[in-house]
């Protein structure tokens, strides 16, 4: 039995392969170590606040208008059902449906009041939640709680 010395090209390939395997093992260990970290960027507070305010504003505008338009088109059927032939006789083809306009405007205003009430309720609930959160952590007006202030102040 004799031992032959491997030639240099096989030894170099073997070393390259070992190096690749070590790198892939390190990469696998690193990805396993960092897999539970949250990598999503945090939303900017000002941006989320502006988005909330704009969505509430758009809702306060669009909901009454869309409900008023719906009721404008639905008013003819509603009045025909309620008043029957008396309503149909007063309505002329090609003229503005004044009953529909009145019902549309009134229903839009009612929807606007409903949206305002919902807005007040949502803001009250949000303020209540934020004040409870503030009491839980007992932060001062500058945003520090007692433990953080003790840790960071060295004076």
């Amino acid at each position: 039995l004799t031992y032959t010395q491997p030639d240099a090209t096989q030894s170099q390939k073997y070393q390259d392969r070992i190096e690749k395997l070590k790198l892939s093992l390190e990469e696998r260990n690193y990805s396993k170590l960092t897999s539970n970290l949250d990598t999503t960027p945090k939303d900017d507070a000002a941006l989320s606040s502006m988005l909330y305010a704009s969505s509430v504003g758009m809702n306060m505008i669009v909901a009454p208008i869309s409900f008023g338009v719906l009721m404008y088109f639905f008013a003819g059927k509603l009045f025909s059902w309620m008043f029957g032939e008396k309503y149909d006789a007063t309505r002329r083809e090609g003229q503005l449906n004044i009953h529909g306009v009145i019902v549309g405007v009134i229903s839009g205003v009612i929807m606007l009041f409903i949206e305002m009430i919902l807005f007040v309720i949502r803001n009250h609930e949000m303020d209540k939640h934020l004040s409870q959160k503030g009491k839980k952590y007992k932060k001062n007006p500058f945003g520090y709680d007692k433990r953080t202030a003790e840790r960071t102040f060295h004076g």
Side-chain angles (χ1 to χ4, degrees):
L1 198 166
T2 62
Y3 177 72
T4 59
Q5 188 79 346
D7 53 341
T9 58
Q10 284 182 343
S11 178
Q12 185 60 35
K13 286 181 183 177
Y14 179 71
Q15 293 299 325
D16 290 342
R17 178 75 178 146
I18 288 177
E19 189 66 30
K20 275 186 185 177
L21 289 173
K22 283 182 182 178
L23 287 174
S24 66
L25 178 66
E26 285 180 19
E27 185 176 350
R28 199 174 324 126
N29 287 339
Y30 179 75
S31 64
K32 195 184 299 183
L33 181 69
T34 60
S35 65
N36 63 348
L37 296 178
D38 185 19
T39 58
T40 58
K42 297 212 183 276
D43 288 339
D44 188 20
L47 178 64
S48 64
S49 147
M50 286 190 312
L51 285 175
Y52 174 73
S54 64
S55 70
V56 167
M58 289 300 291
N59 195 30
M60 296 278 283
I61 293 170
V62 171
I65 290 173
S66 61
F67 190 65
V69 169
L70 174 80
M71 289 305 293
Y72 168 77
F73 289 111
F74 186 66
K77 299 288 184 190
L78 183 69
F79 282 129
S80 291
W81 176 72
M82 287 173 50
F83 300 117
E85 291 179 18
K86 189 166 79 170
Y87 172 73
D88 291 335
T90 60
R91 189 160 180 251
R92 294 187 186 96
E93 200 63 40
Q95 283 189 332
L96 180 65
N97 182 4
I98 195 69
H99 297 105
V101 171
I102 292 171
V103 169
V105 169
I106 290 172
S107 61
V109 170
I110 290 170
M111 180 57 82
L112 183 65
F113 281 120
I114 291 170
E115 285 294 325
M116 285 190 301
I117 290 168
L118 290 174
F119 174 74
V120 168
I121 291 171
R122 271 185 295 217
N123 276 351
H124 175 70
E125 289 296 320
M126 190 183 314
D127 289 343
K128 182 178 166 185
H129 173 71
L130 289 175
S131 66
Q132 286 175 351
K133 191 176 179 181
K135 287 179 185 176
K136 181 179 178 183
Y137 295 114
K138 296 181 183 172
K139 291 188 176 185
N140 66 14
F142 299 108
Y144 293 104
D145 59 356
K146 192 171 184 179
R147 283 182 302 168
T148 308
E150 288 173 352
R151 248 187 326 197
T152 57
F153 181 68
H154 303 289

